[in-house]
Amino acid sequence: MMKIMQSGKWSVLFVVTLVSFITNLDATIVITGLPPLMENLHLSIGTGMWTITSFYITSTVFLLPSGRWSDMLGTKRIFLWGFALFTLATALCGMSSSGEALIAARLLQGTGAAMAMAASTPILIRTFPPNELGVALGINNIAWVTGSLIGPVLGGALIGEFGWRSMFYSVVPIGVIGLAAGILFLKDTFTGEKVKTDWPGLLTFGPGLTALLIALSEGQTWGWASGKTLGLFATAMFLWIAFVFIEMKARYPLFHLSLLAYRNYSIGLGITMSYCIGYFAVTILLTLYLQGAQNLSPLESGLMLIPLSVPQLFTAPFGGRLADRFGPARMILLGSLLIGLALLMLGQLGPQLSNMAVIIPLMIISAATGLSWPSLAKAVLSAAPQEQAGSASGMFWTVYNMCRAISQALALAVVQLVAKSDVASRLLSGAGVEELGHQSKDSLIHATNIGFRFFAVFLALAVVLGVFLLRPQKKTASESRA
């Protein structure tokens, strides 16, 4: 009987880990597959980027509500519904015949991913005893990193042989296997708590984020001072101001804004925002440089991105130990500083491709992430009271996803602002340097270099905020014990 229970426990981990792997695999495949996708569907770079951004919008907006739905309706039910929706939407992505259809399928995909991921952590917490939970969460995190490692290479190989649709179709069988395993091995757990969904908060936060991302994506095309662009910025601001007032008065708020009264928590969220906006622009800018300016194939550019994932597999286990010894704030400072310097190094890329000029900064970024990200998560989540740990975690991961989407939209905005808006689109859509001229290639390289330097500023801001994080940790005994 004990062996059966043990095997059941690890079977649950297999199912949950598969979700982490498959969702991040899909995210990285789409980034490296963007150029052939744009070429085949005749998309502009703005519409092409929305095939990426749309996933992050719904995966962000539905993350917190899905956590509550899993408490009310059962973790297994929400997990399987989400995983089924994700798998179905992935198949629809592969069948899409237009940019609009693909974006709609990606919105559904993000919703399913949010539901499955929101139920994942509670499933692990209720399955593993405290002395084994750390191992389970660590394996789950390794699967997430492995997905980002395999995604660019697998995507490049599939796209080169079978076209861009294969990057979606190849994920569907894995999803079906995960669904079958989930039905067999997961047990339904729920609190039965009748907590109402904060629909007013959801309907102001989500559209506000969407309006902001549309403005950033289309601002260069429409004109930054045009009525459409300014109207969207104003709409985003109005909706988010309304969101704050709604959350302050809601009985069951989407965001517990009272947590911002804890200084370490609010500073930690500020660091998270700066860190994520700076970090997640890297793959977009490098894809523009490698495939657009250097005319590399998806497989070749995917291989170039491997150093962004591998080193953190080795440094992450030491990150937690070093944080315990020297304090998480110091590790956050070190990691943010190294990532910022690496971004400045990438901001020196030239017209002749130098493998080392790309690989070395990516290895620094990856190693620094392994050291600093676990410390950042610990610093933020330990700053909140234990009785509000669930709300604090939900806000943290929502901010993480939101800033990931903002980062990629900002990367596009910066490139389009510096270069002519059609240069990146035409280079990524298959037009060669001979057709557009070396001046267009140089313009795109200059734009990506400016982009890397621009996003280095966000890491500098993370360093500044990290300095403020040092003093409260030294003064607060409860935080020092966390």
Side-chain angles (χ1 to χ4, degrees), residues 208 210-238 413 416-417:
T210 304
L212 173 64
L213 295 176
I214 293 174
L216 290 174
S217 299
E218 302 295 340
Q220 180 64 24
T221 303
W222 293 341
W224 294 103
S226 69
K228 282 184 180 179
T229 305
L230 294 177
L232 282 169
F233 279 127
T235 299
M237 183 178 297
F238 171 78
Q416 288 189 318
L417 189 63

Side-chain angles (χ1 to χ4, degrees), residues 270-319:
I271 296 172
T272 303
M273 294 177 70
S274 302
Y275 189 105
C276 290
I277 290 175
Y279 175 85
F280 284 110
V282 173
T283 51
I284 294 294
L285 292 174
L286 267 182
T287 298
L288 289 170
Y289 174 78
L290 295 173
Q291 295 190 42
Q294 298 298 340
N295 203 28
L296 266 62
S297 69
L299 176 58
E300 290 169 331
S301 64
L303 291 170
M304 292 289 288
L305 288 173
I306 288 178
L308 190 58
S309 299
V310 172
Q312 61 184 291
L313 291 173
F314 300 96
T315 58
F318 298 103

